[in-house]
Amino acid sequence: KAELNSTSPSGYTLTRYVYDEKNPMSISGNDIYYTFEDSNNRIWIGLFGGGLNLLTNEKGKITFKSKFNSFGEYPKYGLYMEVRNITEDKNGRIWVGTSDGLMSFDSHFKNPNQINFEIYRSDTSASNIADNDIYVLFKDAASQIWISVFGGGLNKLESYDRILKHPVFKSYSLKEGLKTNVIVSIIEDNDN
């Protein structure tokens, strides 16, 4: 079943959504790693093995947009399917951290088919990020985006060139004084 309804002890009705191979509009997997609400009140779901999904409500029915039914420009060849984190910068650009690298797109779109996904891998000239295995994306109180890369230390998104479609990162690693290049979480303290 795509939906299972039950009532919790508090009286709220809960709906469970699961992958259904017979329904192309179902969620694209069951291993959910991350959910994120963007500035346009859209709900994004990061699945480990199912890629990125967008939850939509079409005429009162919940559906899930993904590379399998709506994202025409999603990366090919099975890449960017293991999504760990999602955040949005102050300009409305969505950043998606995966085990295959970083991905981003402009959130100002009318139809999910219009999304132009950009990908950044350490083995291409499009990125100066330290490595591809993105663990955490964190937006701090000043709206700066920090990225932890497994084995690649900490990276800070310095800028994004909209014309060249090129992000610029500053890397922090053992060379800059970190105790390890493996960072699995980021949190901001009361002193920012």
Side-chain angles (χ1 to χ4, degrees), residues 4-8 12-16:
L4 301 172
N5 290 313
S6 63
T7 303
S8 70
Y12 291 105
T13 299
L14 304 173
T15 303
R16 180 177 179 218

Side-chain angles (χ1 to χ4, degrees), residues 17-19 23-32 34-36 38 42-56 63-71 74 80-81 83 86 94 96 103 105 109 112 115 117:
Y17 298 95
V18 296
Y19 170 69
N23 178 0
M25 301 308 283
S26 75
I27 194 164
S28 63
N30 292 324
D31 294 326
I32 297 171
Y34 205 80
T35 58
F36 179 76
D38 69 17
R42 290 183 284 228
I43 304 292
W44 298 93
I45 301 113
L47 295 112
F48 208 76
L52 184 66
N53 281 223
L54 171 62
L55 184 144
T56 60
T63 60
F64 297 87
K65 306 290 186 178
S66 70
K67 83 176 266 177
F68 303 109
N69 59 30
S70 297
F71 299 155
Y74 201 85
Y80 296 86
M81 295 302 289
V83 175
I86 307 164
I94 306 286
V96 181
M103 178 170 62
F105 58 93
F109 62 87
I115 300 173
F117 293 94

Side-chain angles (χ1 to χ4, degrees), residues 55-122:
L55 184 144
T56 60
N57 186 338
E58 297 175 352
K59 299 177 185 172
K61 182 171 173 65
I62 298 296
T63 60
F64 297 87
K65 306 290 186 178
S66 70
K67 83 176 266 177
F68 303 109
N69 59 30
S70 297
F71 299 155
E73 298 296 319
Y74 201 85
K76 308 286 186 230
Y77 310 115
L79 292 175
Y80 296 86
M81 295 302 289
E82 296 170 335
V83 175
R84 286 196 180 106
N85 285 276
I86 307 164
T87 194
E88 182 176 11
D89 68 21
K90 60 187 173 191
N91 298 314
R93 186 159 204 81
I94 306 286
W95 296 88
V96 181
T98 78
S99 63
D100 293 310
L102 188 63
M103 178 170 62
S104 79
F105 58 93
D106 188 340
S107 69
H108 302 101
F109 62 87
K110 299 282 185 212
N111 186 316
N113 289 332
Q114 299 171 330
I115 300 173
N116 182 21
F117 293 94
E118 296 175 17
I119 57 174
Y120 319 103
R121 293 178 53 87
S122 65

